[in-house]
Amino acid sequence: MTNAVLPKIISIVGPNASGKSSAGLELAKKYNGEIISADSRQVYRGFDLCSGKVTPGERQQVPHHLLDVRDIGQPFSVADFQNQAYAAISGIIKRGKVPFIVGGTGLYVDSVVHGYVIEEEQPDDKLRARLEAKSLEELLGMLPKDVINSLKSNPSDFANKRRIIRLVEKTEKGKPLEKERRPQYRALQLGVTWPKDMLHKRIDERLAARIRQGMIGEVREYLDSGGNPGHLHDLGLEYRHILWHLTGKHGSIDEFQTEMGTAIKQFAKRQLTWFKRDENIHWLDMAGDHTGQASDLVKRFLAAP
């Protein structure tokens, strides 16, 4: 199938607290769309405030997909996301609507926008056990220099032991590290962000609001019901810091809020590093008429043959 006849999709990406969810909601309402959430934590049921899910009222305005599809602790891979996103897109198109992919998990978005060919393999348990026993530094030392250099485009990978183990497994087995691409759609990619000081202010304000609304209570309720603290630690960011707060690592609510705010800002920087690699993303001028700019881009994209 040539690119000219591929179905059309629209992606809206950006760092935490940039306003991509509200931008996606407005554009989807205006252009008869449905939204696929591309967020690695919003796939899990519960913790709505921690993960920043859209409200039930917003879901009534526009249908949303890939929210609340797993229980915490259940695995959900990039391949799982891609398969479910492809199925959701097919249904949206059949209903005569426009698919919008909205979220900040770059690998999820890219797997659909760029059509990654993902091969699911049975893990080599012996190799996996041997690698898991090694430190992060030892694992990094097993990777070729060109792979290490490629990781610099997404600094969070250096601290992600699971990611490093998967890369080492591929190099040990002689598997290609670069994903083959087989795009299934024509994509308009929009980016939402702000100048650094304004984005940091938005992050602080959103965090304060969610604390007032009860995000700590979401985690406390999970733990009180017998939930596994390890699952919270694996999900990272807000979940991990709230766990630390509830177990006494943070001395006060102010210390907790400050440290978590700093962690979110660092994460937002890594998100931007990931998205800025893609030269096809149209970054909206949030200080100007970004709504008009986005609408014009979407209108022209949908009208093109």
Side-chain angles (χ1 to χ4, degrees), residues 254-298:
D254 290 338
E255 179 183 337
F256 155 73
Q257 187 169 339
T258 297
E259 293 198 15
M260 188 158 74
T262 298
I264 295 172
K265 291 164 190 171
Q266 292 171 341
F267 180 69
K269 181 180 179 181
R270 294 195 294 269
Q271 287 177 298
L272 278 173
T273 298
W274 176 281
F275 292 125
K276 292 289 187 178
R277 300 174 315 150
D278 193 333
E279 296 179 353
N280 293 315
I281 295 177
H282 300 269
W283 290 96
L284 304 177
D285 179 10
M286 303 305 291
D289 181 17
H290 58 276
T291 301
Q293 181 188 7
S295 294
D296 182 59
L297 287 166
V298 170

Side-chain angles (χ1 to χ4, degrees), residues 8-12 23-24 26-33 98-100 187-191 282 284 290-304:
K8 296 177 181 180
I9 62 172
I10 297 168
S11 73
I12 303 175
E26 291 305 310
L27 288 170
K29 284 194 295 185
K30 185 172 184 178
Y31 292 99
N32 192 32
V98 179
F100 284 80
L188 170 66
Q189 301 178 72
L190 304 179
H282 300 269
L284 304 177
H290 58 276
T291 301
Q293 181 188 7
S295 294
D296 182 59
L297 287 166
V298 170
K299 184 177 180 180
R300 286 191 281 117
F301 174 70
L302 294 177

